[in-house]
Amino acid sequence: MRPDPDLRDWLALTLLAGIGPRLGRLLLAAFGTPGGVLAASSSAIERASTRAIAAAVTTGPNAMRLRQALDWCAQPGNGLVTLSDPDYPRCLLEIHDPPLVLYAKGRRELLLEPAMAIVGSRNATPAGRSTARAFAQALSDAGLCIVSGLALGIDAAAHEGGLAGRASTIAVTGTGLDIVYPARNRPLAHRIATEGLLVSEFPPGTSAAPHHFPRRNRLISGLSRGVLVAEAALQSGSLTTARCALDQGREVFAIPGSIHSPLSRGCHALIKQGAKLVEAAADVLEELGLEQPGASVAVKIPASEEDVVLAALGHDPAALDVLVARTALPVDALATRLLELELEGRVARLPGGRFQRT
């Protein structure tokens, strides 16, 4: 079966060496279609762009990568969404550098649904992951598809919450969709491919590289009406997504935390810069004009006893009686666990019978 010539032309254009979204749109403006670009003479392309671009078009795409992309698109559940496709998300057309194509695996109709991004630290706390999951499920149940980047920590929790709600989730990756990064999220990625949607602007065979993730981040925010940062250090990559959101005219929200927690400092910095402080999903919905009754978030405490104690401690000093109330553990069991954590160097005993995470 011969591949769709339009599909082949779109793939060939995007696989030309040195042709990114901006140059691709410039060539499309000059020659109308990908086929028109590829059929144009070298002199015509040089007049519309540069000699280097003309040389790239004349040379053509790498044949092996083109065949790999065509084979991937031919597999069930896989597809390509192009700038000329009615399924291309209109919200991406509002950003200054929309991709020429999106590789998509799963429910591509989700690209047309209203969406909300939730991002944060890869090294999230149990409480942070629980909060992100709860917010994501509440927002998904309110009709917002949850967008995130398939990273460990907050991203993974956000996808899980989106899948648990009715509007599902979109994972934007920094690799080709034939590669799952990080590998630990492979089961989650497979579930999203079935129940949600995986998208990438990178062709199959593209492995993870540091410069891919800022490009991915602009799509996470670009696909969404707003970005919620759940936990983030000051140098977190999720702050890049928040900056992209501001540049794109999207709303930015942040969940506050303890002043002693390094993973709260990025959120607090965003709030100082004007991000909306949120304590419940209803705060997000109200700001977006989608307020619904009962859209509050109850944070679930992690299951294991150790996590219960650490989550109850947070990053502020707490007395034993306060921890008993927070954990509902018997005093003797709580005291034993605190001693074990103290010996492990994870908890410090302070004057006045108080304890604090280290």
Side-chain angles (χ1 to χ4, degrees):
M1 179 178 173
R2 293 176 61 84
D4 178 357
D6 287 340
L7 173 68
R8 176 183 281 274
D9 288 345
W10 276 106
L11 289 173
L13 175 63
T14 58
L15 292 172
L16 293 172
I19 306 295
R22 185 183 64 83
L23 289 173
R25 292 197 310 279
L26 183 150
L27 293 173
L28 288 172
F31 300 101
T33 65
V37 175
L38 298 171
S41 67
S42 178
S43 58
I45 294 172
E46 187 174 339
R47 286 194 300 272
S49 56
T50 67
R51 181 175 298 177
I53 298 304
V57 176
T58 300
T59 301
N62 178 287
M64 184 178 71
R65 297 207 74 189
L66 178 57
R67 172 47 54 193
Q68 185 178 15
L70 285 166
D71 289 346
W72 184 89
C73 290
Q75 295 173 22
N78 297 352
L80 195 73
V81 183
T82 73
L83 271 176
S84 65
D85 197 307
D87 285 348
Y88 192 93
R90 292 184 179 180
C91 52
L92 280 188
L93 296 175
E94 299 169 359
I95 70 176
H96 78 277
D97 55 349
L100 299 183
V101 301
L102 287 172
Y103 295 86
K105 185 178 185 69
R107 297 173 54 197
R108 61 189 281 173
E109 70 271 13
L110 293 177
L111 290 171
L112 302 179
E113 299 298 323
M116 180 73 191
I118 300 179
V119 297
S121 173
R122 289 174 171 82
N123 301 310
T125 65
R129 293 194 297 272
S130 180
T131 299
R133 190 179 299 110
F135 265 84
Q137 182 171 350
L139 293 170
S140 178
D141 278 334
L144 291 170
C145 185
I146 303 302
V147 182
S148 200
L150 199 61
L152 298 174
I154 296 298
D155 284 21
H159 289 308
E160 291 165 0
L163 289 169
R166 69 180 179 87
S168 196
T169 191
I170 296 173
V172 186
T173 74
T175 65
L177 292 185
D178 57 336
I179 297 170
V180 176
Y181 179 85
R184 281 168 55 187
N185 277 345
R186 188 178 305 277
L188 176 60
H190 289 170
R191 186 181 170 202
I192 294 172
T194 301
E195 302 175 35
L197 179 67
L198 296 166
V199 296
S200 178
E201 66 178 311
F202 299 104
T206 305
S207 57
H211 63 279
H212 291 172
F213 295 97
R215 289 181 61 183
R216 175 205 65 178
N217 292 347
R218 89 189 194 287
L219 297 186
I220 292 174
S221 57
L223 285 167
S224 309
R225 296 186 60 174
V227 172
L228 171 63
V229 183
E231 264 188 349
L234 281 174
Q235 303 304 318
S236 173
S238 55
L239 299 190
T240 304
T241 309
R243 286 192 289 271
C244 290
L246 289 172
D247 291 343
Q248 295 164 352
R250 308 307 197 239
E251 300 290 343
V252 178
F253 306 88
I255 300 173
S258 168
I259 61 172
H260 301 286
S261 170
L263 292 178
S264 296
R265 290 175 187 161
C267 293
H268 292 172
L270 289 173
I271 292 167
K272 289 177 182 177
Q273 295 162 16
K276 183 174 178 61
L277 184 155
V278 296
E279 298 174 314
D283 297 332
V284 176
L285 297 172
E286 179 182 8
E287 189 70 16
L288 296 178
L290 301 170
E291 188 175 8
Q292 295 189 6
S296 59
V297 171
V299 177
K300 297 179 181 178
I301 298 297
S304 77
E305 182 178 291
E306 177 180 351
D307 283 352
V308 166
V309 175
L310 290 175
L313 271 171
H315 291 271
D316 295 307
L320 186 63
D321 58 341
V322 173
L323 294 175
V324 169
R326 289 179 181 174
T327 63
L329 292 172
V331 175
D332 55 348
L334 177 59
T336 299
R337 189 65 203 138
L338 285 168
L339 177 59
E340 292 171 351
L341 291 169
E342 185 179 357
L343 292 174
E344 292 171 9
R346 304 176 73 183
V347 167
R349 188 182 299 267
L350 304 178
R354 297 182 303 160
F355 300 85
Q356 184 173 22
R357 288 177 65 168
T358 57

